[in-house]
Amino acid sequence: MGVAAARPGAAPGLITVLTGMSGSGKTTTSAHMILGLARNRRRVGVGAWEVRAPTTLELITTLSLKWSRSRILDGKTNQLRSDDPMTGEELRIFEDRANEIMPYLVFIENPFRRGSVRSEGKITNDDYLDILESHVEASGADAILLDLFDRCLRYRRPDDEQEALWRMAEMTVAMQIHTVLVHQQLIKGEGVRKDKRPSLEGLKGSSAYVDVAAAIIAPHIPARFKNVPDDKFQVFGLKQRFSPPFAVEFDWEPDRDRKS
């Protein structure tokens, strides 16, 4: 594996799909993306629909400080540890850093909830996407990251997903934001490789995820899927609209979610 640049990067009007199996490093990669945008003073709308908003902020803060994740966050719940609490000075540093990051984050509520749209007539994906669009517009975000995107859909058949994804593409262009859609890989079936590396064929649901994306980025941690040392973190650029696909491998420290 070599070194490659992601092109076009976080460009306004374009969609990036971030994909991987459970345990592949999607949450870690998402947190690094959000942190990188915030460090560049770009306002990020975050749909923290799988890993909830408080936990997401705690993870981003821990990454920013380059502190031990297991020292700060409980491994089972990803909440702040209670059995080995931070000292007063550590807590002050942690809170100060979180407060520095917060002005650049806006957590976007999942529109898919009972009672959130009209009670009469058929409720469609468009109803939920209308709500999402209003949330994004109100956020004033330069970029949004929705994790997991399909959690805001009422109907998830491939045709329904396709319509929703093209709607997201139109929204992204109209608002001139960069959109990151976090999406799962299949865990079984023809699209799953024996070595569990991500692939375009392994994307769950509609093939429109490939069509709408200017880039498809797929993290992978080999040690999560086979008996090897947990010191490598791989990233596959499965698609780049303006450049060839790529694969890179980093040495990494899993307890600090840190690559080198």
Side-chain angles (χ1 to χ4, degrees):
M1 294 187 179
V3 177
R7 297 175 182 171
L14 297 179
I15 290 177
T16 294
V17 170
L18 176 64
T19 185
M21 293 184 182
S22 295
S24 65
K26 293 193 305 299
T27 298
T28 294
T29 304
S30 295
H32 277 291
M33 292 173 76
I34 295 166
L35 179 59
L37 289 163
R39 280 174 169 163
N40 283 283
R41 301 182 182 277
R42 298 188 66 180
R43 193 170 176 85
V44 189
V46 181
W49 303 333
E50 182 174 50
V51 180
R52 301 302 181 186
T55 304
T56 299
L57 178 58
E58 289 162 3
L59 174 58
I60 293 169
T61 304
T62 305
L63 292 178
S64 175
L65 291 168
K66 299 182 180 179
W67 285 3
S68 164
R69 183 172 177 174
S70 63
R71 166 67 180 81
I72 303 301
L73 302 176
D74 182 271
K76 295 180 180 179
T77 65
N78 271 337
Q79 299 299 316
L80 291 175
R81 295 185 69 96
S82 58
D83 58 337
D84 184 18
M86 287 185 281
T87 65
E89 179 64 13
E90 286 174 330
L91 184 59
R92 183 192 65 77
I93 294 171
F94 193 87
E95 290 178 345
D96 286 349
R97 181 58 57 87
N99 289 332
E100 290 173 2
I101 294 170
M102 271 303 295
Y104 301 102
L105 301 186
V106 181
F107 288 103
I108 299 172
E109 186 177 357
N110 188 346
F112 185 76
R113 66 189 192 280
R114 191 177 299 276
S116 63
V117 296
R118 66 175 186 269
S119 58
E120 298 180 0
K122 182 180 179 181
I123 299 172
T124 68
N125 283 341
D126 263 337
D127 291 314
Y128 291 109
L129 293 177
D130 285 343
I131 297 170
L132 177 62
E133 185 170 9
S134 67
H135 288 343
V136 173
E137 189 170 23
S139 74
D142 301 302
I144 58 172
L145 185 146
L146 306 180
D147 181 14
L148 296 161
F149 169 67
D150 66 4
R151 292 200 174 185
C152 75
L153 302 181
R154 182 176 179 87
Y155 303 103
R156 301 180 185 180
R157 294 183 297 268
D159 288 350
D160 297 315
E161 276 192 322
Q162 177 175 297
E163 290 182 6
L165 287 163
W166 286 116
R167 168 76 185 274
M168 285 302 303
E170 292 170 0
M171 187 190 310
T172 297
V173 172
M175 293 187 176
Q176 280 300 287
I177 56 175
H178 180 74
T179 296
V180 180
L181 303 179
V182 184
H183 187 58
Q184 295 277 22
Q185 286 268 305
L186 295 166
I187 60 174
K188 59 183 179 180
E190 293 182 1
V192 181
R193 301 182 185 186
K194 291 182 179 180
D195 62 7
K196 305 301 183 184
R197 287 183 299 168
S199 66
L200 293 180
E201 294 79 12
L203 282 159
K204 288 179 66 175
S206 173
S207 62
Y209 281 100
V210 178
D211 299 333
V212 302
I216 299 178
I217 306 299
H220 180 66
I221 302 173
R224 302 287 168 85
F225 304 98
K226 58 184 179 180
N227 186 22
V228 296
D230 192 7
D231 58 3
K232 301 296 181 184
F233 190 103
Q234 299 173 346
V235 178
F236 295 90
L238 301 179
K239 174 185 176 180
Q240 291 199 100
R241 185 169 293 169
F242 308 114
S243 295
F246 66 85
V248 294
E249 183 176 81
F250 304 92
D251 294 328
W252 89 307
E253 300 175 52
D255 187 41
R256 297 176 184 269
D257 285 335
R258 187 168 65 187
K259 298 177 281 294
S260 58

